[in-house]
Amino acid sequence: MNLKRIQFFLFLFALNLFIGCSDSDEPSLAPVASVVIINEGNFSAANGSFDLYNKTSAEYSSNAFQSANDFPVGSTIQNAIISGDFILATTNAVDKLEIINKETFESITSVTTGLHTPFGVAANNEYAFLTNWGTFNSETFLYDNPEIITINLATFQISSTLALNIQPQHVVYVKDRLYVSDIGNYLSAGTTVSVYQINEGTLQPESTIDVQPGPDKMVIDANDNLWVLCSSGALVHIDTDKNEVVNTIQSVPVLGFNEKLTIDPAGTYLFWIASSGYPDYNSAIYRLEIANPSLSEPIIEGTNFHGLGVDEDNIFVGDHAAYQSSGKVLRFSDYDSAPKLIETLPSGLAPNGFIFR
Amino acid sequence: MKKLFAYVALMLHCMWCFAQKDTLYLEELSIEDGRLSVLDIGSSNQHLSSALFQNYSGKNLSDLLQENTGIYVRKYGGEGQLSSIAFRGTTPNHTLITWNGIDINAQTLGQSDLASIPAYLFESAEVLAGGASTLFGGGNIGGSINLKQPSQKEGAGFSFDQEIGSFGRFFSGVKSHFGNKKVMVNMSAFRNKIDNDFLVNYRNDTYRQNNAQSILQGLQTDLSYKINKRNTLNTQLWYNHHDRKLQPTIGDLTNDDHLLDRNLRLLVGHQWNSKSAILKSSFFHIRDFQTYNHASETNLTRNIAKVDFEYFQIDKVILSGGLVGQLAHTDVDNFTTDTSQWKVENYVLAQVNPLPKLKLSMRAQKSYIEGLEVPFVFGGGAELSVVKQQKTELITGVNVSESFRAPTLNDLFWSPGGNPELKPERGFHSELFFKLTRQEKQQTFRVTTNLYQTKIKNMIQWLPMSSASDQAIWSPENVRSVRIRGLEQVISYRYAGRLTFRAEATYSFNQSTNLSAIAGNDLTIDKQLAYVPFHKLASNASVAFSGWAVNMNYSYTSRRYTEASNRLYVEGFGLFNTILSKSLSTKSSQFNLSIKIENILNNDYQNYELRATPGRSYILKLNYKISNIYSE
């Protein structure tokens, strides 16, 4: 072999190296975007994220929190809401409430100490209220010491902790009261919604309302009344003046756990997801008109539906891609008549909800 | 040959340009034509030398492979943290680690944690690719790594190793050997502690990494007794104790996850040999114990009987066959009941050299595993010496083989979700290689190129099985098909005069494509498997002169997708390490002092998504060795 051949091999080799060198395409931040996609992420990898989408310009940017802060938001993002200038997000890896500037996505601070598997979040002008499942017990596979934690949104300090004797799921704030769905656990489902009065950052139990097994997601309608979707397959309408059940719709198709119930901004239609589960993950979106609450056929059918959001024009559906990869988002028009698929957007891991700025 | 030097320098320079901020070094990884080559005629066989193992004596197999081979090691943070292997574009379940020919992967999880395999206890290792890489077992769809213990010698010797270094590193090890014509004994023991309290950037500030300490301890003994000319008895013991905290994701300051592993591996064997035949009979007792967070326990006991027979006529024919029986018993908290599983495996293998320039091999293997249908697997290869001159040799070879991987015990018995209906995964391999060697008086130049394709069918994947009435339960299914196409290239150059110079670079390219849809809206078809980099480079250069030696090592791993639709990824990273050492020798003893700097350029990188890694770190190492106590 002569030197020319050696030269040729070295050239081949150097070529290999250059093939290995490719630049990344960093997404740019588009803080004006109206739609925020919440990607819950994978617990062990702490890779939850927020993606942004501008419906007008069709600009899309992924991982807005990481881009704005240069550190990750964590996993799993259980729930996120807008409260004043903030986005409040509960995460479980690590357990925290992340308080985020709604416009820039910069982290204002996070509250970690004292939280134990925070899940649901609600807020008024002064306080954020977090349901906490408690500490996971690896022997019983249940959560011990569930609680509701109140955080002062001026000081970002915990102002009170209320111990519960049942695992809570979601929390909503309406008419100066807090409504908490007492979901229980897989051995023993809860059957109540608890009502609490708020007194300078501390909670006083006021009453409990009997609903159906597994009360989960709750929304407030145009009349400030409460709708509770129970994972046993019931939709319960509660009058928040009397704290009484007005109507219970039975045999409602649901997901079975971690229900996704939402309402349009006008408060006139309820929307939720039902799934057939493995192996087909046949999913459907159901709609119920509050003025005429009778169950009808699904308005959207598909697979792998995981997150749901409705703004003034569109229905957004998050697709978890069988948890095998990043998911995607389906955007539909005509939420109040016959929805049509307008476009499909990318998403992060397990898009489980949307907020609209 | 000055010109050649210039080109090697140019090659190094190219790498410098490519990495922009890093450079490289290379340790000789010679291709061995040892006895095991019978396994893999026409396939790749990389020898990880004893010099390399010495350089990594205070470390484990994780860094050794990542920094010196085309294999990608997925490491969950600092040293000693979970490290899994992606060999030739496959997943961590597809590589076997073997000790005395026995699979030592955790039978529950189906993989080995490379961080629990200390380099100190081994002299060298062989990296064998594809279906041709083992005779027993299966599980080698990617390949296998065969650990080699220190060879036994007559006389008596002793060595002592001590390391201290950044981030709470403290390593101590002793080795001794004693031997005469009848009895030979090797013993080694070590303790390796690292705190991993390196700085982590988070929330525009830094903190010291929490909960990441690893303490690995182990000992090994190897005792042989030569009954007579033909018969030898041997017993070996390897005990490993790995106590560590599991490094949490960046920003998680409260996590206190903990993992304790204990492994006992015992071998009692007999070997009979004549001029043209070897018969080896061995009995193994293997116990693996693991506890997670001081609560969830995994206990596995295996008793294995193994017989191998080999008949050979040097350079003409090798015929071999073997039989192994294994009984595994589990006591795992996450299995509903204690479970046993038996398996019996056998193989036959033939290698013939019909012409001086041609070698052919054929292999057939059949396993019987309780509750599973395991197919016959076949393989064959050919090697032809195309050019053979006084100084230059070009060999080309082909290999076609099959392999399988049985479902792991977790796949079968995990509660909830284990699926006893699973079938074994199948692998189909084809490979073409070229090896060019040029030898002059003081110089050796070698280029090896392997092109290969592997297809994996019935690949097992855990999927969520939620239904409207229960929580999300995940269960494994034979759903994936994957096609891997790859290239491996090794270039090495060695000059040995008064000064020794060595340079080597190993590059691998792997395109691992998922071919199957699992559910509707599957976004993963035709996408690269997660955590399989397209490009991996490992390179070394070293100069030794008059007891002084300098090594430089550079490795680069390209972007890894963190999920199967290839939207999300962690950036590629390059690492530059160097070692400066000085040896002083007397007639029978040697004293070596070295300093190693790792991650010289203080790169902030992630190997595994959101696990922090150490910046620049220093290791000071002292080795004292008495080669033969009696001659002092």
Side-chain angles (χ1 to χ4, degrees):
Chain A
M1 190 176 70
N2 59 28
L3 273 176
K4 272 202 176 142
R5 263 201 230 163
I6 295 174
Q7 201 175 345
F8 175 69
F9 279 117
L10 292 179
F11 170 74
L12 270 186
F13 189 72
L15 198 68
N16 280 334
L17 300 182
F18 285 103
I19 296 167
C21 187
S22 61
D23 286 329
S24 65
D25 31 286
E26 270 300 308
S28 63
L29 180 65
V32 291
S34 55
V35 182
V36 179
I37 302 163
I38 306 164
N39 303 302
E40 75 182 54
N42 176 337
F43 180 81
S44 60
N47 52 6
S49 63
F50 293 102
D51 295 336
L52 304 182
Y53 182 62
N54 186 325
K55 291 205 299 183
T56 319
S57 66
E59 278 177 271
Y60 180 94
S61 63
S62 49
N63 224 343
F65 185 94
Q66 171 80 39
S67 302
N69 297 291
D70 217 20
F71 56 84
V73 63
S75 266
T76 44
I77 307 175
Q78 293 289 12
N79 285 284
I81 59 165
I82 289 184
S83 170
D85 296 332
F86 304 140
I87 290 172
L88 305 175
T90 54
T91 72
N92 293 160
V94 296
D95 286 344
K96 65 180 161 67
L97 177 72
E98 188 74 45
I99 297 142
I100 304 164
N101 181 315
K102 182 178 82 176
E103 302 303 326
T104 64
F105 261 89
E106 285 164 325
S107 170
I108 291 158
T109 188
S110 68
V111 179
T112 51
T113 310
L115 306 196
H116 304 98
T117 327
F119 185 80
V121 54
N124 63 15
N125 293 331
E126 290 173 275
Y127 299 103
F129 307 98
L130 311 183
T131 56
N132 279 238
W133 286 357
T135 310
F136 184 69
N137 182 327
S138 58
E139 284 178 18
T140 61
F141 291 93
L142 301 176
Y143 288 87
D144 297 333
N145 307 318
E147 55 203 6
I148 305 173
I149 287 174
T150 306
I151 292 167
N152 185 321
L153 288 176
T155 61
F156 306 117
Q157 301 292 318
I158 292 177
S159 54
S160 73
T161 298
L162 178 71
L164 305 180
N165 50 25
I166 187 162
Q167 187 179 314
Q169 183 83 337
H170 281 284
V171 53
V172 295
Y173 172 82
V174 62
K175 293 182 183 168
D176 294 329
R177 284 187 170 79
L178 219 52
Y179 291 79
V180 174
S181 48
D182 302 324
I183 195 163
N185 56 52
Y186 74 97
L187 292 179
S188 163
T191 57
T192 52
V193 168
S194 295
V195 188
Y196 299 90
Q197 286 182 334
I198 304 154
N199 188 356
E200 291 180 4
T202 57
L203 304 180
Q204 265 95 45
E206 183 180 320
S207 61
T208 57
I209 306 165
D210 287 331
V211 292
Q212 298 297 309
D216 195 320
K217 187 74 173 81
M218 300 176 289
V219 294
I220 303 294
D221 68 15
N223 305 316
D224 278 353
N225 284 326
L226 191 68
W227 290 84
V228 187
L229 188 58
C230 302
S231 52
S232 56
L235 191 55
V236 181
H237 185 189
I238 293 170
D239 180 324
T240 51
D241 286 328
K242 299 176 187 162
N243 286 337
E244 284 175 2
V245 173
V246 181
N247 185 14
T248 299
I249 302 167
Q250 297 283 6
S251 303
V252 174
V254 290
L255 285 169
F257 63 98
N258 200 353
E259 301 301 337
K260 304 292 163 54
L261 173 71
T262 192
I263 193 162
D264 63 313
T268 53
Y269 290 97
L270 299 175
F271 301 83
W272 69 95
I273 305 178
S275 170
S276 65
Y278 179 85
D280 302 319
Y281 295 101
N282 286 329
S283 310
I285 308 291
Y286 284 84
R287 181 178 63 200
L288 186 91
E289 188 177 1
I290 285 160
N292 176 25
S294 65
L295 193 63
S296 55
E297 291 302 302
I299 53 166
I300 299 168
E301 288 178 298
T303 54
N304 299 330
F305 293 173
H306 188 56
L308 181 62
V310 179
D311 69 1
E312 56 279 0
D313 302 311
N314 300 123
I315 302 171
F316 290 86
V317 179
D319 174 333
H320 61 53
Y323 305 103
Q324 299 301 307
S325 68
S326 287
K328 61 185 172 184
V329 169
L330 311 172
R331 178 185 170 198
F332 295 89
S333 66
D334 303 298
Y335 74 88
D336 53 354
S337 54
K340 287 186 226 20
L341 181 66
I342 305 174
E343 61 182 335
T344 303
L345 305 166
S347 79
L349 294 168
N352 70 353
F354 301 86
I355 41 185
F356 303 100
R357 298 186 294 176
Chain B
M1 288 317 287
K2 266 186 191 165
K3 258 193 172 171
L4 182 58
F5 259 110
Y7 283 115
V8 172
L10 179 70
M11 179 179 97
L12 300 180
H13 181 70
C14 285
M15 290 171 201
W16 178 282
C17 300
F18 145 75
Q20 292 170 350
K21 41 188 176 176
D22 300 79
T23 272
L24 85 154
Y25 127 85
L26 208 22
E27 175 63 30
E28 178 83 5
L29 303 177
S30 67
I31 306 297
E32 189 183 69
D33 298 312
R35 193 184 80 86
L36 260 170
S37 66
V38 68
L39 281 179
D40 57 340
I41 293 288
S43 181
S44 160
N45 174 357
Q46 209 176 7
H47 178 76
L48 304 175
S49 69
S50 56
L52 185 64
F53 268 73
Q54 259 163 33
N55 278 349
Y56 285 80
S57 63
K59 307 198 98 189
N60 53 54
L61 220 54
S62 162
D63 287 352
L64 190 152
L65 291 173
Q66 169 67 11
E67 290 166 11
N68 298 283
T69 69
I71 295 171
Y72 167 59
V73 178
R74 184 200 303 181
K75 186 162 127 185
Y76 290 57
E79 192 176 322
Q81 294 298 321
L82 297 171
S83 298
S84 57
I85 187 167
F87 186 11
R88 282 205 169 176
T90 58
T91 76
N93 279 323
H94 292 137
T95 300
L96 277 188
I97 311 291
T98 67
W99 175 74
N100 285 300
I102 289 293
D103 164 14
I104 58 160
N105 283 4
Q107 304 290 302
T108 41
L109 194 60
Q111 49 181 276
S112 281
D113 182 357
L114 299 177
S116 297
I117 302 175
Y120 191 73
L121 297 185
F122 300 95
E123 187 170 70
S124 63
E126 272 162 333
V127 179
L128 303 167
S133 62
T134 54
L135 291 169
F136 286 121
N140 55 328
I141 291 175
S144 73
I145 295 173
N146 303 331
L147 302 170
K148 302 276 171 194
Q149 277 140 305
S151 48
Q152 296 192 308
K153 292 184 273 250
E154 286 186 29
F158 171 81
S159 82
F160 169 70
D161 283 86
Q162 179 65 49
E163 287 185 17
I164 52 166
S166 310
F167 315 128
R169 174 189 301 278
F170 195 88
F171 174 93
S172 312
V174 287
K175 284 181 186 173
S176 63
H177 71 267
F178 165 82
N180 59 27
K181 299 230 177 318
K182 275 277 176 203
V183 181
M184 292 193 191
V185 189
N186 281 0
M187 279 189 284
S188 359
F190 74 96
R191 182 178 190 273
N192 189 7
K193 183 215 77 165
I194 183 153
D195 295 332
N196 284 317
D197 56 346
F198 46 83
L199 283 175
V200 182
N201 295 317
Y202 182 63
R203 288 188 180 262
N204 309 317
D205 200 355
T206 57
Y207 69 91
R208 293 248 166 228
Q209 179 63 53
N210 54 305
N211 202 59
Q213 189 190 58
S214 159
I215 302 173
L216 177 63
Q217 299 171 88
L219 67 90
Q220 183 161 272
T221 63
D222 182 354
L223 168 67
S224 293
Y225 175 69
K226 200 162 183 175
I227 303 167
N228 54 38
K229 199 175 144 195
R230 294 202 185 284
N231 291 282
T232 310
L233 289 174
N234 175 245
T235 177
Q236 293 183 26
L237 176 131
W238 172 17
Y239 178 71
N240 228 33
H241 185 283
H242 198 179
D243 184 348
R244 65 188 141 166
K245 295 168 179 172
L246 296 178
Q247 183 180 328
T249 52
I250 292 171
D252 186 346
L253 299 168
T254 53
N255 192 305
D256 58 357
D257 284 347
H258 173 268
L259 193 67
L260 174 68
D261 286 279
R262 291 201 305 253
N263 311 93
L264 175 71
R265 291 150 186 147
L266 180 69
L267 154 67
V268 181
H270 170 260
Q271 179 172 319
W272 171 90
N273 56 278
S274 72
K275 272 180 189 165
S276 59
I278 300 172
L279 176 69
K280 264 178 134 171
S281 318
S282 319
F283 171 78
F284 294 84
H285 178 71
I286 294 177
R287 299 183 85 132
D288 296 315
F289 169 83
Q290 185 176 68
T291 169
Y292 173 63
N293 283 346
H294 312 282
S296 175
E297 280 190 16
T298 300
N299 276 288
L300 186 87
T301 307
R302 287 190 287 159
N303 288 306
I304 303 165
K306 179 168 173 273
V307 180
D308 295 90
F309 178 75
E310 188 168 281
Y311 168 82
F312 54 89
Q313 289 176 16
I314 305 265
D315 292 334
K316 280 186 189 149
V317 64
I318 302 174
L319 295 172
S320 64
L323 182 70
V324 66
Q326 171 179 301
L327 187 63
H329 182 78
T330 65
D331 172 9
V332 179
D333 286 356
N334 285 96
F335 294 179
T336 324
T337 53
D338 292 357
T339 307
S340 297
Q341 188 194 52
W342 59 259
K343 66 179 173 186
V344 174
E345 304 181 308
N346 59 63
Y347 76 89
V348 287
L349 176 95
Q351 186 196 322
V352 287
N353 303 4
L355 301 168
K357 288 184 170 184
L358 182 66
K359 290 181 192 171
L360 300 171
S361 76
M362 286 284 287
R363 166 184 73 106
Q365 187 189 334
K366 174 70 181 166
S367 299
Y368 303 86
I369 304 178
E370 186 176 0
L372 291 172
E373 285 267 337
V374 186
F376 257 108
V377 290
F378 298 96
E383 263 182 44
L384 178 68
S385 178
V386 182
V387 178
K388 187 156 190 180
Q389 297 167 356
Q390 198 186 0
K391 292 179 178 173
T392 306
E393 184 176 22
L394 175 64
I395 297 174
T396 181
V398 291
N399 187 286
V400 178
S401 63
E402 295 178 311
S403 61
F404 73 95
R405 180 178 84 86
T408 65
L409 297 175
N410 283 357
D411 290 337
L412 296 169
F413 303 120
W414 189 264
S415 175
N419 179 1
E421 307 297 316
L422 286 171
K423 292 177 283 194
E425 297 178 357
R426 299 294 311 273
F428 304 91
H429 313 264
S430 50
E431 175 162 3
L432 174 67
F433 89 88
F434 302 94
K435 183 165 83 177
L436 176 75
T437 312
R438 167 89 177 166
Q439 252 173 326
E440 305 217 1
K441 260 187 197 160
Q442 295 178 308
Q443 306 182 74
T444 310
F445 178 74
R446 188 175 281 142
V447 181
T448 311
T449 304
N450 287 271
L451 295 164
Y452 51 86
Q453 172 164 298
T454 298
K455 281 191 176 163
I456 309 175
K457 288 187 175 164
N458 292 336
M459 193 162 139
I460 294 167
Q461 182 96 30
W462 283 69
L463 300 170
M465 308 273 281
S466 61
S467 68
S469 59
D470 62 25
Q471 300 271 329
I473 289 172
W474 291 63
S475 189
E477 297 280 329
N478 290 99
V479 284
R480 286 268 190 227
S481 291
V482 171
R483 183 194 62 222
I484 301 161
R485 287 175 175 158
L487 160 79
E488 267 166 19
Q489 196 170 52
V490 184
I491 299 184
S492 66
Y493 171 77
R494 177 179 184 152
Y495 173 87
R498 278 190 61 212
L499 171 150
T500 310
F501 173 80
R502 293 195 282 189
E504 181 171 287
T506 306
Y507 166 79
S508 71
F509 170 82
N510 286 293
Q511 187 185 43
S512 297
T513 310
N514 171 41
L515 301 176
S516 50
I518 286 177
N521 296 335
D522 199 301
L523 303 172
T524 66
I525 296 178
D526 295 332
K527 300 285 169 52
Q528 179 85 348
L529 295 190
Y531 284 101
V532 174
F534 282 112
H535 309 281
K536 171 77 202 292
L537 170 77
S539 53
N540 284 295
S542 63
V543 182
F545 179 75
S546 174
W548 288 91
V550 182
N551 293 321
M552 286 179 291
N553 171 277
Y554 174 73
S555 60
Y556 176 80
T557 306
S558 72
R559 171 189 296 186
R560 283 88 60 225
Y561 295 107
T562 56
E563 48 78 48
S565 78
N566 293 184
R567 261 201 83 230
L568 309 174
Y569 56 87
V570 277
E571 293 288 353
F573 65 95
L575 285 183
F576 182 26
N577 302 328
T578 188
I579 307 173
L580 172 68
S581 68
K582 172 67 181 161
S583 293
L584 293 169
S585 301
T586 66
K587 200 168 123 200
S588 64
S589 68
Q590 193 183 42
F591 181 82
N592 185 289
L593 188 67
S594 70
I595 179 154
K596 181 173 184 186
I597 310 173
E598 297 189 325
N599 189 6
I600 291 178
L601 298 168
N602 206 23
N603 283 353
D604 188 4
Y605 71 99
Q606 289 170 14
N607 180 326
Y608 189 79
E609 182 181 26
L610 298 175
R611 307 284 159 154
T613 51
R616 184 183 303 119
S617 54
Y618 303 89
I619 304 171
L620 190 67
K621 177 169 158 179
L622 182 147
N623 169 255
Y624 178 67
K625 187 156 60 179
I626 304 171
S627 317
N628 198 337
I629 291 167
Y630 298 136
S631 68
E632 273 295 274

